[in-house]
Amino acid sequence: MANETIIELKEITRSYNLAAEPVHALQGVSLTIKQGEYVAIMGTSGSGKSTLMNIIGCLDKPTTGTYILDGQDIVARSDDELATIRNRTIGFVFQQFNLLASMSALQNVMLPLVYAGISAGERKVKAELALKELGLEGRISHRPNELSGGQQQRVAIARAIVNNPRILLADEPTGALDSTTSREIMGLFNRLVDEGMTVIIVTHDPETASHARRVIKVRDGKIQEDSTREARHEIN
Amino acid sequence: MNLRELLGIAWQGILSNKLRSGLTVLGIVIGIASVITLLGIGQGAKLEAEKQVQSLGVNLIYVRPGAANLSSISQGQGSAATLTYDDAQAIRENCPAVEDVAAQYNSAFQVQRGEQNTSTSVVATEPSYTDIRNFFPAKGRFFSLNDLKEAARVCVLGETTANNLFFDENPLRKQVLIRGELFDVIGVMEHKGVTQMMDMDDQIFIPLSTGYATLVGLNAVTGKQVKSILVRAKEGEDMQAQFQITNLLRLRHNIQSPDADDFTLRTQADIMQTAQSITGVFSLLLGATAGISLLVGGIGIMNIMLVSVTERTKEIGIRKAIGAKYSQILSQFVIEAVVMSVTGGILGIGVGLAGASALSQFAQWTTVVTPSSVLLSFFVSLAIGLFFGIYPARKAAKLDPIVALRSE
Ligand SMILES: Nc1ncnc2c1ncn2[C@@H]1O[C@H](COP(=O)(O)OP(=O)(O)OP(=O)(O)O)[C@@H](O)[C@H]1O
Ligand SMILES: [Mg+2]
């Protein structure tokens, strides 16, 4: 299972047709990621990391190219089918947390289960478990604005993993956090990888990236370098 | 996701901006309340009109001098001196479909009693008047056939007239002067109110014969002239009665062509129809007014939902990012609109019922709120939520997740 290919991108491009001139955010990205891999994506600002993550996360569609996720051609899927994939297969952690301000931590974490059609009782049990796993059992009825940044990000991670996705995507999950909190969250990701989850994170921080066994460097919408941890050690 | 959960999500959305939702609901409350109240007024007016027409007496036919068409505009019905007491007698004797007849001559005269002095309509008629008009004395008695035969100087006062002349005193066995002639008061009529734009309670009734002898006098040419003949047809024989009366009068008046008719027949059905068409137009106008206020309320809902969708684009993006489908976002916003409109509808029904009963209590208007208009209002409010909610909801559901997430 560990060596099964789960993500396969072939010649992916993504262009934005702006009035002035088209922006080519991705210009032919090909990439294969296996189940259980821990991948860090690095690159300068504007290089196309978020664009790539959004496509992998089925939030956005490529302009051209093929995306096979878990054996399914994503480009041909309808919006509702993509919604189901985002709900069941992928967990997404955003840099700005993106929690619903009017809901408690527990309600936020339960939300993906609501859309998954899971019964209210089971939802509560699962969400509480996920929050507990992230050390937030004392904060379940707090609203996001009553939580610290690190706590909010942990709620967001709990929401991303509550439905047991096979892939966890995190776009600069520690960008807004201090180094101690960042380290805590990286530790959590390590644990999820150990449990067999495929984890892909975008980061600027080499320290954060060093947790990943594979680092992909993006530049001007293209993959500049793709190295496993061992290869990187050899270079150093 | 079941309906209860969708309702829960919608309710959270509504509560997240209480003032705005409240004002939106208020628009619907006003709309539905005016529908309930105005329909109640319309229905009440209709009922009142029907009741008044009913109270004139059943199977009633009015025979009046003067033609029904063109000439009636120029000279006014009842002004021609072509109907006589003999016509009334002929109808009584020769029309088998006629149950009863009362000829009447009415005119305004000065009436005095002590210091009190008033001008009142004096109705000289026959004892059959009470049965035909369905209008009876409350005190004392109406004059009898004997009084008619003897041209007795007796009179029966309408309720208002009695009050005007006697205040709290009992008028029975007292006397009044009608154009200087002395009359014994033998009865006071029951309360009848205003029918056909005539105050039935401000009249004095005297025997027809007495009227001819003391007040009107006889016309050398036409004999005993009457102002109208009230006819009650036998049950279910209105048409025959009208036919018989028309033929008889044409024969007696020597009329060859219907165009030359010098009399007019009006039935209760005619009057009822007129009343109904007037109240129908009235109801329609009220309904249209209420409909417009509902439309405004509905547009209010749409407007607020559009604002809400714009403001909550980020929320929609988050929901979509974690797996909400088109239909789930759509139903969230449609249900939000429907919950607001139905809440407004239910409150509006309450306010409308209160308004209708307040109007009948304090303004003495007859209002009738039927269960069907309550049910109609409820479903209209539901439909408004659906109709005006669907467009903003579709806008929300169609949002691209990435675009929505990037908003703010
Ligand atoms: N919606 C959009 N419309 C137009 N251009 C866009 C849009 N989104 C991204 N771009 C452009 O695509 C390029 C890549 O953007 P992207 O967000 O992927 O960069 P990034 O690598 O995530 O940068 P950062 O590290 O600053 O987050 C940029 O040049 C950006 O201006
Ligand atoms: Mg980015």
Side-chain angles (χ1 to χ4, degrees):
Chain A
M1 183 185 166
N3 285 328
E4 210 176 291
T5 297
I6 186 155
I7 291 166
E8 193 176 358
L9 302 176
K10 283 186 227 157
E11 286 302 314
I12 293 285
T13 70
R14 177 70 171 97
S15 309
Y16 297 101
N17 287 317
L18 298 182
E21 53 175 312
V23 177
H24 304 288
L26 294 178
Q27 316 186 30
V29 172
S30 298
L31 183 63
T32 305
I33 295 172
K34 294 195 173 71
Q35 175 71 50
E37 268 194 287
Y38 190 174
V39 182
I41 297 174
M42 297 188 75
T44 53
S45 186
S47 56
K49 306 182 294 293
S50 294
T51 309
L52 180 59
M53 284 294 263
N54 292 339
I55 286 173
I56 294 173
C58 299
L59 283 167
D60 199 5
K61 282 186 172 180
T63 307
T64 63
T66 325
Y67 175 19
I68 312 286
L69 173 69
D70 204 12
Q72 286 188 74
D73 181 3
I74 291 305
V75 179
R77 297 278 158 258
S78 72
D79 288 348
D80 273 1
E81 286 171 322
L82 292 179
T84 304
I85 291 167
R86 290 196 295 270
N87 187 243
R88 307 275 160 86
T89 314
I90 295 166
F92 214 112
V93 180
F94 303 90
Q95 180 172 359
Q96 311 84 358
F97 318 141
N98 281 344
L99 297 171
L100 291 185
S102 61
M103 292 186 174
S104 70
L106 184 69
Q107 285 173 316
N108 266 291
V109 177
M110 289 196 302
L111 207 53
L113 303 174
V114 170
Y115 293 122
I118 287 167
S119 74
E122 197 182 337
R123 247 184 261 159
K124 191 152 183 267
V125 172
K126 282 191 167 185
E128 278 172 353
L129 209 71
L131 282 164
K132 197 172 169 199
E133 210 174 317
L134 286 146
L136 287 167
E137 56 269 44
R139 296 281 182 279
I140 58 169
S141 53
H142 288 232
R143 298 266 173 101
N145 62 0
E146 297 159 352
L147 295 170
S148 73
Q151 286 168 334
Q152 287 183 57
Q153 192 59 303
R154 280 188 280 158
V155 173
I157 293 167
R159 183 181 64 186
I161 63 171
V162 71
N163 214 4
N164 267 322
R166 296 176 59 190
I167 304 163
L168 181 69
L169 303 175
D171 191 352
E172 303 194 47
T174 59
L177 305 176
D178 63 62
S179 56
T180 321
T181 321
S182 300
R183 231 168 283 131
E184 261 174 51
I185 286 177
M186 293 327 293
L188 181 79
F189 285 0
N190 286 334
R191 222 166 68 217
L192 292 172
V193 173
D194 290 343
E195 286 166 17
M197 204 176 276
T198 310
V199 176
I200 306 172
I201 61 167
V202 168
T203 181
H204 280 114
D205 178 22
E207 149 84 12
T208 305
S210 69
H211 290 270
R213 280 156 218 152
R214 180 176 170 192
V215 176
I216 295 170
K217 287 196 174 143
V218 180
R219 190 175 171 179
D220 295 334
K222 288 185 187 130
I223 292 181
Q224 191 193 22
E225 192 187 318
D226 185 347
S227 52
T228 62
R229 198 187 207 174
E230 291 74 23
R232 201 158 59 113
H233 277 282
E234 282 167 13
I235 291 165
N236 289 350
Chain B
M1 262 206 301
N2 58 30
L3 189 66
R4 234 188 83 202
E5 277 167 11
L6 284 168
L7 282 173
I9 293 175
W11 195 241
Q12 258 181 346
I14 289 167
L15 290 186
S16 68
N17 202 327
K18 292 193 188 73
L19 179 66
R20 202 165 69 188
S21 309
L23 289 173
T24 311
V25 167
L26 187 65
I28 298 297
V29 171
I30 291 168
I32 291 289
S34 41
V35 167
I36 293 274
T37 310
L38 295 182
L39 279 183
I41 292 170
Q43 300 265 12
K46 204 170 140 200
L47 187 85
E48 194 65 14
E50 280 169 9
K51 233 167 58 187
Q52 281 187 8
V53 173
Q54 285 299 341
S55 75
L56 295 177
V58 264
N59 306 329
L60 202 59
I61 301 168
Y62 287 88
V63 186
R64 289 192 166 155
N69 45 33
L70 294 172
S71 62
S72 71
I73 294 166
S74 53
Q75 60 181 164
Q77 268 178 35
S79 61
T82 52
L83 275 186
T84 65
Y85 184 61
D86 294 337
D87 286 330
Q89 290 292 20
I91 291 171
R92 199 192 315 270
E93 280 156 23
N94 300 317
C95 298
V98 166
E99 169 105 32
D100 215 345
V101 175
Q104 68 174 48
Y105 188 102
N106 51 302
S107 189
F109 288 113
Q110 205 66 26
V111 181
Q112 269 174 281
R113 185 253 161 186
E115 303 283 276
Q116 307 309 320
N117 195 335
T118 167
S119 175
T120 297
S121 169
V122 175
V123 181
T125 184
E126 301 176 86
S128 51
Y129 178 90
T130 52
D131 278 338
I132 294 179
R133 272 283 191 175
N134 192 21
F135 184 30
F136 299 96
K139 270 188 242 167
R141 61 177 182 88
F142 207 73
F143 49 80
S144 63
L145 276 172
N146 209 36
D147 294 325
L148 185 73
K149 213 168 82 192
E150 292 174 357
R153 296 233 181 170
V154 293
C155 70
V156 181
L157 306 179
E159 192 192 42
T160 309
T161 315
N163 283 337
N164 286 347
L165 295 173
F166 290 92
F167 303 103
D168 296 335
E169 271 181 75
N170 185 355
L172 293 186
R173 282 177 294 281
K174 304 223 164 63
Q175 294 178 314
V176 293
L177 283 170
I178 304 176
R179 212 184 65 180
E181 306 279 344
L182 212 53
F183 281 78
D184 288 330
V185 179
I186 57 167
V188 177
M189 296 304 278
E190 64 189 352
H191 177 79
K192 187 85 168 176
V194 179
T195 53
Q196 293 278 289
M197 286 186 271
M198 200 172 88
D199 187 351
M200 294 295 285
D201 297 328
D202 195 10
Q203 300 185 97
I204 295 180
F205 301 91
I206 61 171
L208 188 61
S209 50
T210 318
Y212 288 133
T214 60
L215 303 175
V216 186
L218 298 181
N219 185 309
V221 185
T222 56
K224 293 173 175 174
Q225 187 203 340
V226 296
K227 290 275 178 83
S228 65
I229 302 170
L230 300 177
V231 178
R232 193 162 86 204
K234 287 187 174 140
E235 192 65 42
E237 295 185 34
D238 296 45
M239 298 307 285
Q240 291 96 310
Q242 283 181 63
F243 183 72
Q244 289 163 4
I245 294 167
T246 307
N247 280 342
L248 179 72
L249 291 181
R250 279 184 190 151
L251 200 68
R252 287 177 58 83
H253 293 191
N254 237 329
I255 293 165
Q256 253 84 48
S257 118
D259 294 339
D261 276 355
D262 58 357
F263 58 91
T264 311
L265 263 57
R266 281 190 83 203
T267 62
Q268 199 194 9
D270 293 338
I271 298 165
M272 183 105 85
Q273 234 168 34
T274 313
Q276 273 175 345
S277 74
I278 291 171
T279 55
V281 170
F282 185 55
S283 294
L284 203 72
L285 281 174
L286 292 178
T289 311
I292 288 167
S293 64
L294 259 185
L295 186 73
V296 172
I299 292 170
I301 284 202
M302 177 133 116
N303 186 31
I304 280 311
M305 290 310 295
L306 283 171
V307 171
S308 176
V309 167
T310 308
E311 270 188 7
R312 285 153 67 191
T313 304
K314 180 104 177 178
E315 173 194 328
I316 296 160
I318 294 170
R319 287 178 184 274
K320 290 202 127 187
I322 61 173
K325 289 182 186 156
Y326 178 89
S327 60
Q328 289 168 325
I329 299 291
L330 186 82
S331 43
Q332 174 185 342
F333 283 91
V334 167
I335 286 174
E336 207 171 302
V338 168
V339 166
M340 280 202 282
S341 69
V342 168
T343 305
I346 290 170
L347 291 176
I349 287 169
V351 172
L353 287 173
S357 78
L359 274 179
S360 43
Q361 195 129 49
F362 300 115
Q364 315 290 327
W365 291 14
T366 309
T367 55
V368 180
V369 180
T370 58
S372 69
S373 64
V374 169
L375 219 62
L376 176 85
S377 302
F378 179 82
F379 285 109
V380 162
S381 71
L382 188 87
I384 281 177
L386 278 177
F387 182 80
F388 289 100
I390 204 103
Y391 174 71
R394 277 176 53 118
K395 225 180 131 177
K398 278 199 297 206
L399 278 174
D400 183 71
I402 269 295
V403 173
L405 271 175
R406 279 227 191 85
S407 72
E408 264 181 342

